[in-house]
Amino acid sequence: MNTTEIKILLDKYYEGETSRDEEKILKEYFIGDQVDESLLEHLPVFTYFKTESKIKPGLDLEDKILEKLDEVPIIPFYKNKTFWTYFAGIAATLLFLFTFIFETQFNLKTDDQLAVTSYSKQDARLAYDQTRIALAYVSGKYAEATQPLSEVSKFGKSTMVVSELGKMSAELDKINSNVNKMGSSVDKLNKLSKFSIIVKP
Amino acid sequence: MVFLSNVVIFRCTFVMKLLTSRLQHTMTKQEFVFRVMPLKDKLFRLARRILDEIEAEDIVQDVFVKLWAKRDEIEQYRSIDAFAMVVTKNLCLDKVKSKAYQNGKITDWNEPIDHRSPERMTELKDDVKMVHQVISTLPEQQKLIVQMRDVEDMDYEEISEVLKMSVNTIRVNLSRARKAIRDQVIKTHNYEYHGN
């Protein structure tokens, strides 16, 4: 690498445009003994980076880290949050499945067995009678309860009375026509009064 | 019923798979130490860029404890290096914030390799110390970028993963930091030259 090439690389370097390989070339150049006098001002930077990359922590750091790692408590699985999420998921699904099976399969079978074996004709008769008595009792009470409601039928009668009012309008029509007739006879009487004026003198 | 039992069977196999994968992937302590311990120097240097040497060592210990606690998550990251550096960076910045750290605190300085002429060496030593001082006055992000790129020689993608910045922003900041260092060195050099 000659000085001009290094200068070009340096310009790129300060613009942040050099690749890692190009930066490696620069670093190697400045570490070597043949650094051009005109480029000496860049020497401290690259020397600094080189030495910085070799800095190491105290030798006991590794032991300190291992010691610290031993102090970290190991969390047992039953204190693990994710474990419980998975566990709850599985448990809920299984529970749902079992209840479903129980409802559909197991329960139906017992119903069939009960229907075939346990009821005799007498039992059925007894059940029929009991039901009838119960229904009769209910209907009796129902009838009792509806008794006060019969008063409501009076409402129908009173509307009949109201309908009689229709007749009143017919009477009114008659009165009206009579009044008209009376008007015309009054007119006739007026004409008679003219006659009296002629007679007076 | 068939549908339901299918659902249950699917769920059970899924859970079993998860549990077994967990068992397979959970690292033993030996594995963890083997894979993560080599990073301690790099993490220490990164922490040291922001904190002093003693605090940097403490931070590195904390980082290892944190990584051990999150060892299941490590698998999800593309590289353990990036994840470890993210944790280190965050812990350091937290510490700086909590302590209201004085900016530009200067850490101990190791002597450069001595294979040049002595008179040039003393001059260089001062200049190298200067570089250290200039970097310590830069903003935290720029310090970290310089550390990761120029000292640790990391590629831009990895740095952007650690700092959650775009590659372009990193380039711009790196350029600024490099120019600031150069300008300061040249300025001091000229000043000293004129002074003499």
Side-chain angles (χ1 to χ4, degrees):
Chain A
M1 268 287 160
N2 64 41
T3 314
T4 42
E5 279 173 305
I6 291 293
K7 269 183 179 163
I8 292 163
L9 275 186
L10 271 174
D11 286 340
K12 271 180 87 181
Y13 171 81
Y14 284 109
E15 292 305 322
E17 283 161 5
T18 36
S19 68
R20 279 168 74 192
D21 289 337
E22 288 168 332
E23 283 169 24
K24 209 172 170 189
I25 292 168
L26 282 175
K27 279 174 187 168
E28 275 167 11
Y29 174 81
F30 281 104
I31 282 155
D33 277 336
Q34 268 80 51
V35 180
D36 194 88
E37 285 292 322
S38 63
L39 299 175
L40 273 179
E41 63 191 38
H42 304 289
L43 187 59
V45 184
F46 290 100
T47 314
Y48 175 76
F49 290 149
K50 184 74 192 167
T51 39
E52 275 296 296
S53 69
K54 287 187 174 152
I55 286 175
K56 284 197 160 109
L59 287 171
D60 57 343
L61 183 64
E62 188 165 340
D63 294 332
K64 278 186 198 163
I65 290 166
L66 291 173
E67 216 171 274
K68 276 235 170 156
L69 288 182
D70 285 331
E71 285 168 20
V72 179
I74 296 157
I75 302 159
F77 75 93
Y78 52 82
K79 281 188 184 169
N80 191 334
K81 218 173 164 187
T82 44
F83 167 78
W84 282 112
T85 357
Y86 292 129
F87 184 81
I90 298 166
T93 332
L94 286 180
L95 201 72
F96 181 71
L97 186 72
F98 281 131
T99 42
F100 197 76
I101 290 169
F102 191 79
E103 283 293 317
T104 52
Q105 307 273 298
F106 193 63
N107 260 6
L108 266 180
K109 243 179 208 170
T110 50
D111 265 341
D112 288 344
Q113 281 166 353
L114 278 173
V116 172
T117 57
S118 307
Y119 293 129
S120 68
K121 270 189 179 177
Q122 271 182 326
D123 287 333
R125 186 78 211 169
L126 188 73
Y128 174 71
D129 288 342
Q130 293 281 354
T131 317
R132 219 178 47 173
I133 289 161
L135 285 175
Y137 176 76
V138 170
S139 72
K141 285 282 168 193
Y142 183 76
E144 248 173 62
T146 49
Q147 203 71 56
L149 284 174
S150 64
E151 296 291 317
V152 174
S153 62
K154 285 180 185 168
F155 186 72
K157 276 179 201 164
S158 36
T159 51
M160 291 276 275
V161 174
V162 172
S163 72
E164 296 290 316
L165 283 173
K167 285 174 186 171
M168 203 169 86
S169 72
E171 295 298 318
L172 280 172
D173 280 347
K174 275 182 196 169
I175 291 167
N176 210 13
S177 64
N178 288 346
V179 166
N180 281 345
K181 280 175 193 169
M182 214 165 80
S184 62
S185 27
V186 167
D187 281 346
K188 280 173 191 172
L189 280 175
N190 275 343
K191 279 173 189 169
L192 273 178
S193 66
K194 279 177 192 170
F195 181 72
S196 68
I197 294 164
I198 301 162
V199 172
K200 220 179 185 178
Chain B
M1 266 319 281
V2 176
F3 166 73
L4 252 175
S5 55
N6 273 348
V7 168
V8 170
I9 288 164
F10 173 76
R11 220 201 147 104
C12 284
T13 48
F14 179 70
V15 167
M16 286 308 287
K17 230 185 264 171
L18 251 169
L19 286 175
T20 47
S21 70
R22 229 142 228 272
L23 285 176
Q24 280 166 6
H25 280 284
T26 304
M27 279 192 248
T28 61
K29 195 168 273 184
Q30 283 89 345
E31 259 182 317
F32 176 79
V33 170
F34 180 75
R35 288 181 69 177
V36 187
M37 196 55 91
L39 298 177
K40 74 174 193 318
D41 297 354
K42 201 173 167 185
L43 299 180
F44 169 73
R45 286 194 291 265
L46 188 75
R48 193 177 156 280
R49 183 57 59 203
I50 293 178
L51 305 168
D52 68 42
E53 216 145 293
I54 295 155
E55 280 173 323
E57 285 205 3
D58 288 345
I59 287 286
V60 172
Q61 291 172 43
D62 293 345
V63 169
F64 271 77
V65 170
K66 239 186 178 158
L67 287 177
W68 174 243
K70 291 186 172 186
R71 60 192 176 282
D72 290 339
E73 286 172 44
I74 288 178
E75 306 289 335
Q76 295 162 15
Y77 279 76
R78 264 187 294 155
S79 69
I80 295 183
D81 295 44
F83 184 49
M85 290 189 103
V86 170
V87 175
T88 313
K89 177 207 76 175
N90 288 342
L91 286 179
C92 287
L93 293 182
D94 286 351
K95 185 130 198 171
V96 170
K97 268 182 216 158
S98 70
K99 278 187 70 178
Y101 222 76
Q102 315 100 294
N103 205 11
K105 192 164 177 174
I106 292 145
T107 54
D108 294 341
W109 166 243
N110 293 31
E111 301 259 312
I113 326 109
D114 199 3
H115 62 74
R116 281 172 252 244
S117 57
E119 69 270 26
R120 203 206 226 186
M121 210 50 230
T122 45
E123 195 186 292
L124 185 63
K125 217 158 89 179
D126 288 342
D127 288 347
V128 170
K129 203 167 186 174
M130 257 282 306
V131 175
H132 187 74
Q133 282 172 16
V134 175
I135 292 174
S136 64
T137 60
L138 291 173
E140 307 295 350
Q141 298 288 8
Q142 287 188 16
K143 274 186 211 172
L144 292 172
I145 293 170
V146 167
Q147 175 69 21
M148 283 190 271
R149 181 67 185 191
D150 282 332
V151 180
E152 304 296 347
D153 192 29
M154 285 162 63
D155 59 43
Y156 284 118
E157 279 71 30
E158 214 173 349
I159 298 172
S160 82
E161 204 179 336
V162 174
L163 295 180
K164 313 270 186 286
M165 282 174 153
S166 75
V167 171
N168 205 41
T169 318
I170 291 167
R171 279 180 194 274
V172 169
N173 274 292
L174 183 60
S175 169
R176 255 180 226 158
R178 282 170 175 173
K179 281 176 181 164
I181 299 164
R182 177 195 61 186
D183 293 348
Q184 194 61 39
V185 171
I186 290 172
K187 204 172 117 190
T188 320
H189 218 89
N190 285 350
Y191 179 76
E192 277 173 3
Y193 181 79
H194 288 301
N196 291 339

